[in-house]
Amino acid sequence: MPDHDSDSFLNRQTKRRRVDIGVKRTVGSTASSTVAAVTATTDNIARAKAAIFSAMNSLSSHSHHGSDTDSMECSVVQPHGGPGVVSASDNESKSNVLRKLLKRANSYEDAMMPFPGTTIISQLLKNNMAKNGGGHDRGERGDRGDRGDAGFPGSGLSNASPDAPQEDACSNSSQDSTPPECMSPFGRPHGLATFDIERLNDEHMRAKRARVENIIRGMSHSPSVVIPAASRHERNHEIDGERETELDCPPPQSQQQPPSSPRGGEVCGGSSRENKRKQRLPQQQQQSFTQLVCQRKEQKQEERRQLKLQLEDMQKQLRQLQEKFFQIYDSTDDSEHNDLHNDLHNDIGNMSEDSPSRSDAAADDRGGDDLRSDNEMSDLDPGHFLDRARALLQEQALLADGEKPRREGISRSKAPGGLSSSMHAEGKQLAETLKQELNSAMTQVVDTVVKVFAKPPRPPPQQAFHPLSIPPERFPTVNGDNPNFHTTNPRLQCFGDVIIPNPLDSFANMPGMPGATNDQTEALPLVVRKTPSEHHQSSAVGAQGGHHHPALHPSSLSASMGFSPPSFRHPFPLPLMGYPFQSPLGAPTGGYPGKEHSSPDSMDLSRETTSLRTKMTSGHHLGHHHRSCSPAHPGSTAEGLSLSLIKSECGDLQDMSDISPYPGSNIQEGLSPNHLKKAKLMFFYTRYPSSNMLKMFFSDVKFNRCITSQLIKWFSNFREFYYIQMEKFARQAINDGVTGSEELSVSRDCELFRALNMHYNKANDFEVPDRFLEVAEVTLREFFNAIVAGKDVDPSWKKAIYKVICKLDSEVPEVFKSPNCLQELLHDVSQIGGRSSILHNLGWVP
DNA sequence: GTGATACCTG
DNA sequence: CAGGTATCAC
C-alpha cells in the first residue's frame, strides 16, 4: 500500500505538474484541454467522477449553491466570493456545480500537491471565474487579478493589453504572492453576473491567444526584446500558466519548468522570452481572437456535453445500485423494503442536491435515521445487523468505484435503520444461514490452508520417513546392492532430507513406521540403517559388518574396529536446515559426550563437528565409532537425535548431487577420524588425489563443498608435511656432506621414512607400499638437487618438484573405496594378524 | 567469481 | 590439523 500510495502520489504530482504545465502552454485550450487533462489522469478522473456524481444531483434537482458550500470549499471557493456565482441559467448553474465539484477535487489535490492551484481543475475553475469576472481581460490580466483578488484589475481581455501590464504581471505575480491555495482569485469574478458563456468565451479566447502567442513566439524569436526576468516568481505560476505564463512562457518554458520544482521551477525559463512574448502577444491575440472565441465556445459546449453524459451515466449506475439494494431487501422483507426504499429515496434525493449541501442534508437525514435505527437496533440481533451489513458490502463491491462512496455511506447508515422488527425473525434465520455458510466456508478455507502448509514442507509424517519404509523395488540401487537392503538409498535420502519434516510429526510417526526393521523401530526415523547382510553387500570389498548403530548392534564388527559404518541418519531434521541429517553414526551410543547442536548454523556446526571429530580422534579413539564428524552430536540423546547432523553444514543442496556414487554404503554427513586415518593411508598411494577420486574413495560421506574442501585440505596438509620432511632431510643430507642425490635412498629403516610413517601411519598397523618409498626417494633427491643447485632461492622453487611428484601418484587399492576398508585392513591385521591378508586385500601381495 | 593450491600461522 | 591469505588457472 505504501508504495502504491507514494507512487500514486508521485504520479499525481507529476501529472499535476504536467497538467499545470500543459495548461500554461495551451493555456487557452482550457475547456478542451482541461477535459483532456482530466481524462488523462486517473486520479483526476476519479475525483471528477465523484464530483460529477455529486454534481449530478445538483444538476438534476436543485442548482442552488449554498454559500456554505463555498465556504466549505475554502481555498478554492471562498476566493470566488461564493455567492458571486449565481447561476442565471441552467448552464450557469451546472457550470457552478461543476465548478464546485472541481474545486473540491482541487482542494484534494492541493492538499497533496506542493502547489496550490496547479491542478487542472483549479485552472479550469480559474478560467471560468476569470471569464466571469473580467470577461475581457487577457490572461495576463487575469493573472494579476489573481494576485489581487480584489484586483482583477485588468479585466480587459484586451488583447492589446500592452506590454507594460504584462511585464507588470510578471513582476506583480512575483510580488503578489497569491497564496497558491487560493486559486480563487480568478474564481472570484467580480462580475458575478456575467454569464458562464461569456466567461467561457473569454477563457477560450485567452487560451487561444496564449496558444497562438506561443506558436508565434516560437516562430518569431525576436532577440530584440530581452527583458530581465528579475522579478518573476512563480507563485504566480498559476497565473502565469493561465495567462501570462501562457503567453509568456512558451512551450519551452513549460519544458524548462521542472515538474517537481515548486513554483520556482515554474518561472519561465527565459525572462527574455517572456518579455518578448508579452510584447508580441497583443498583436497575435487580436488577430485570432475571433476564431479563438468561437473555438472556445465549441470546446466548452463539447465539454459540457461530455460531462452531461458522464453524469447521466453515473445516475444510471446509481439507479442500478439502488435497485440492487432494494432487491436485497425485497428478498428479505417487503415491509422493510418499503422503509428502506423510502429511506433510500430520501437519501438519493438528498444526494441530488448540491453536493455540498447534500452532504449536510445527508448528515441530517442520517441523524434522523440514526435515531430511528438506534431504537430499532436495540431490538436488532447483532448477527442480523452484521449479516445485513455484509450483504450491503457485497452489493457495493459490485458497483463501480466512483459512485459508490456516497452510496455506501448512505446504504450503510440506512441498513441498520432499515431493519424492521418484522424482519427480525426472518432476518435471524437468514443470519443464521449466512453464519453457517460462513463458518463452513471458513472451515474449509482453514483446512485447505492448513493442508497446503502442512504438505509442502514435507510430506506428511509418513512420507518423511519414506526412505525407510519405501519398498526397495521402487528405488533401485545404483550399485546393484540388494535392494532389499537398500531401503536407505543415499540419494533418496538426500532428497528426502532436503525437506524437513516437522519434528513433531517425525516423533509422532516414529513408532508406527511401517516396514521398519527392528533397527528402524529403534532407530530414529530418519536413520538409515542396514542390516548386517546389507552391510556386507554394501561394501565393495565386502566384508565389514558394522554399519549398525553401536547401541543397536554392539556386536557388530564395527564396534571392534575403529571404523564404524555410518548408517544412521538423524531422525530429527532441524527445521532451519534444509538438509537432511544423516547421523553419522553411531557414536552416538551415547558414548560421546558429544554435544547436541541445535544451532542452525550449519557452517559452524560443520566446523565444530570436524573439530570435535578431530579431538575425539586424538582424544579417544573410540573404537567404533563415528565416522562422521557429526558423531559427536548424536551423543547427547541416546536416541540419536543427534542434532549434529545439523551440520549439514556447508551443505548446499547442490552438494547433494555430489553424493558418492556408491550408494550402497551409508552416507555420512561428515568426515570422521577414521576417514582421516584412511586419507593418511591413501596418501601412501596418492599425494594429489582429485576431488573425484576422493569422492570415489569416500563414498560413505555425503560430499559437499565443505567435505571436499576438508579432504583436499587434509591432503594438502599431508603434502605439506611430506615436503617439509623431504626438504629437511635433503638439507640435512647436504649438511652431512652428501654430494650426490644418488647417494640418497629411502628405506623403511631410514629416519625419513620413520618420520613419515609416524605421521601417516602412526599405529604402524599398515604396511606402507614400496612404491611410496620410491616416491619418497625421488622426492628427496629432487629437493636435494634443487637445493644444491641453489634453486631454493626462488620462492617458487618447490613447484618444479611438485610437478614431478604429482606424476608419481599410484593407484589406490580398491579396498580403500570401501567405507569399511579400515575395518577390513585393520581387522585383518589385528584379528587375523596376518599381514599377508592385509597385503592381499590391498593388492600388494601377489 | 570460484576452486585448487601453496604458504603461513596457531 | 585448521584457519587464513595469496596466487594462479579456469
Side-chain angles (χ1 to χ4, degrees), chain A residues 137-143 157 206 209 242-244:
Chain A
D137 62 338
R138 315 156 36 206
E140 297 167 357
R141 295 272 164 121
D143 292 350
L157 229 192
R206 285 182 302 193
R209 254 192 298 161
E242 290 179 64
R243 301 188 174 182
E244 286 185 347

Side-chain angles (χ1 to χ4, degrees), chain A residues 196-464:
Chain A
D196 291 344
I197 293 173
E198 289 180 358
R199 286 181 294 181
L200 291 174
N201 289 339
D202 293 347
E203 232 185 288
H204 288 291
M205 289 174 67
R206 285 182 302 193
K208 291 212 170 187
R209 254 192 298 161
R211 267 189 276 164
V212 174
E213 288 176 358
N214 289 338
I215 295 169
I216 293 168
R217 255 185 294 152
M219 294 173 69
S220 67
H221 202 68
S222 80
S224 61
V225 181
V226 175
I227 297 170
S231 57
R232 256 184 130 146
H233 299 291
E234 352 354 315
R235 32 156 129 163
N236 297 325
H237 89 277
E238 280 185 2
I239 296 169
D240 292 348
E242 290 179 64
R243 301 188 174 182
E244 286 185 347
T245 309
E246 301 169 355
L247 300 175
D248 297 351
C249 299
Q253 177 187 1
S254 62
Q255 291 175 355
Q256 288 178 351
Q257 293 175 350
S260 60
S261 70
R263 302 189 158 197
E266 292 174 356
V267 177
C268 297
S271 60
S272 63
R273 279 189 183 180
E274 288 180 353
N275 293 335
K276 293 175 183 177
R277 252 211 206 159
K278 291 174 183 177
Q279 293 174 351
R280 292 177 185 178
L281 289 174
Q283 297 174 355
Q284 304 299 336
Q285 290 175 353
Q286 288 179 348
Q287 292 177 353
S288 61
F289 180 76
T290 304
Q291 291 178 353
L292 290 173
V293 172
C294 294
Q295 290 178 1
R296 186 89 183 186
K297 286 181 179 177
E298 291 176 358
Q299 291 176 352
K300 195 74 182 178
Q301 288 179 352
E302 183 61 22
E303 184 184 357
R304 283 182 192 165
R305 284 181 216 132
Q306 290 180 357
L307 289 173
K308 268 193 174 182
L309 290 175
Q310 286 184 338
L311 289 173
E312 289 175 359
D313 234 18
M314 290 182 176
Q315 284 179 334
K316 286 180 182 177
Q317 290 181 356
L318 177 61
R319 283 180 205 126
Q320 290 177 353
L321 235 179
Q322 290 175 353
E323 289 177 1
K324 286 184 179 180
F325 181 81
F326 291 129
Q327 285 177 1
I328 296 171
Y329 289 94
D330 289 346
S331 62
T332 58
D333 185 331
D334 291 343
S335 65
E336 184 171 10
H337 168 293
N338 292 336
D339 292 346
L340 291 173
H341 223 114
N342 293 335
D343 290 345
L344 288 174
H345 280 301
N346 290 338
D347 287 345
I348 292 167
N350 292 335
M351 289 172 71
S352 65
E353 295 178 357
D354 194 334
S355 61
S357 62
R358 191 195 357 133
S359 63
D360 292 346
D364 293 345
D365 289 357
R366 255 185 231 140
D369 291 345
D370 290 345
L371 293 175
R372 182 179 53 160
S373 65
D374 289 346
N375 294 336
E376 292 177 359
M377 287 299 287
S378 61
D379 298 342
L380 225 77
D381 177 340
H384 199 135
F385 179 81
L386 291 174
D387 291 338
R388 200 161 266 285
R390 286 181 194 138
L392 291 172
L393 289 173
Q394 289 179 352
E395 280 295 306
Q396 293 172 357
L398 298 175
L399 299 174
D401 321 346
E403 317 151 356
K404 295 176 189 171
R406 295 177 74 217
R407 285 212 233 119
E408 288 180 1
I410 294 168
S411 62
R412 286 182 185 176
S413 64
K414 299 280 178 183
L419 295 178
S420 63
S421 61
S422 65
M423 187 175 169
H424 193 68
E426 293 181 2
K428 275 190 176 182
Q429 290 181 353
L430 179 64
E432 288 301 323
T433 302
L434 291 173
K435 287 177 183 176
Q436 290 178 357
E437 289 180 1
L438 286 171
N439 287 336
S440 63
M442 285 298 291
T443 302
Q444 290 179 353
V445 171
V446 171
D447 290 344
T448 302
V449 172
V450 170
K451 287 179 182 177
V452 171
F453 280 96
K455 288 183 179 180
R458 181 153 199 170
Q462 289 182 351
Q463 290 181 353

Side-chain angles (χ1 to χ4, degrees), chain A residues 647-821:
Chain A
K647 107 173 271 142
S648 32
E649 54 189 357
C650 331
D652 297 355
L653 294 179
Q654 278 188 333
D655 294 338
M656 301 299 282
S657 63
D658 292 340
I659 294 166
S660 102
Y662 302 86
S665 60
N666 292 315
I667 293 176
Q668 295 181 344
E669 293 288 335
L671 296 170
S672 68
N674 285 327
H675 286 121
L676 178 61
K677 188 171 186 178
K678 180 180 176 179
K680 287 181 175 180
L681 294 179
M682 286 176 65
F683 185 78
F684 286 124
Y685 299 90
T686 178
R687 269 64 57 184
Y688 294 89
S690 65
S691 60
N692 287 334
M693 187 186 299
L694 292 174
K695 289 177 184 175
M696 293 284 286
F697 287 89
F698 292 89
S699 61
D700 59 335
V701 176
K702 188 189 290 180
F703 270 77
N704 56 36
R705 289 177 187 172
C706 288
I707 298 297
T708 302
S709 296
Q710 189 173 18
L711 282 171
I712 290 171
K713 181 67 176 176
W714 280 357
F715 277 87
S716 177
N717 287 333
F718 299 159
R719 286 193 298 272
E720 190 173 15
F721 178 81
Y722 175 79
Y723 288 122
I724 288 171
Q725 295 302 315
M726 292 299 168
E727 181 179 359
K728 176 183 172 183
F729 281 89
R731 292 186 183 280
Q732 186 176 322
I734 292 171
N735 291 336
D736 291 346
V738 176
T739 56
S741 61
E742 308 78 32
E743 299 177 17
L744 298 173
S745 66
V746 176
S747 67
R748 295 180 188 275
D749 299 334
C750 73
E751 194 175 345
L752 174 58
F753 177 83
R754 273 180 274 173
L756 295 173
N757 190 50
M758 183 59 75
H759 189 74
Y760 306 113
N761 182 26
K762 197 167 188 175
N764 195 31
D765 53 359
F766 180 82
E767 180 75 8
V768 177
D770 292 335
R771 172 64 177 168
F772 178 75
L773 295 176
E774 296 175 6
V775 173
E777 188 173 290
V778 172
T779 307
L780 180 62
R781 289 179 179 176
E782 286 291 328
F783 270 91
F784 178 87
N785 291 332
I787 294 170
V788 170
K791 293 180 181 177
D792 58 341
V793 174
D794 181 353
S796 59
W797 65 282
K798 292 179 181 177
K799 284 186 178 180
I801 298 171
Y802 300 155
K803 280 189 176 182
V804 174
I805 304 305
C806 72
K807 294 175 182 177
L808 300 178
D809 282 4
S810 57
E811 276 192 22
V812 178
E814 286 294 311
V815 68
F816 281 95
K817 288 182 179 177
S818 167
N820 301 317
C821 67

Side-chain angles (χ1 to χ4, degrees), chain A residues 494-515:
Chain A
C494 292
F495 287 106
D497 289 346
V498 172
I499 297 170
I500 297 170
N502 181 330
L504 295 177
D505 290 346
S506 298
F507 282 105
N509 292 312
M510 288 178 65
M513 293 175 55

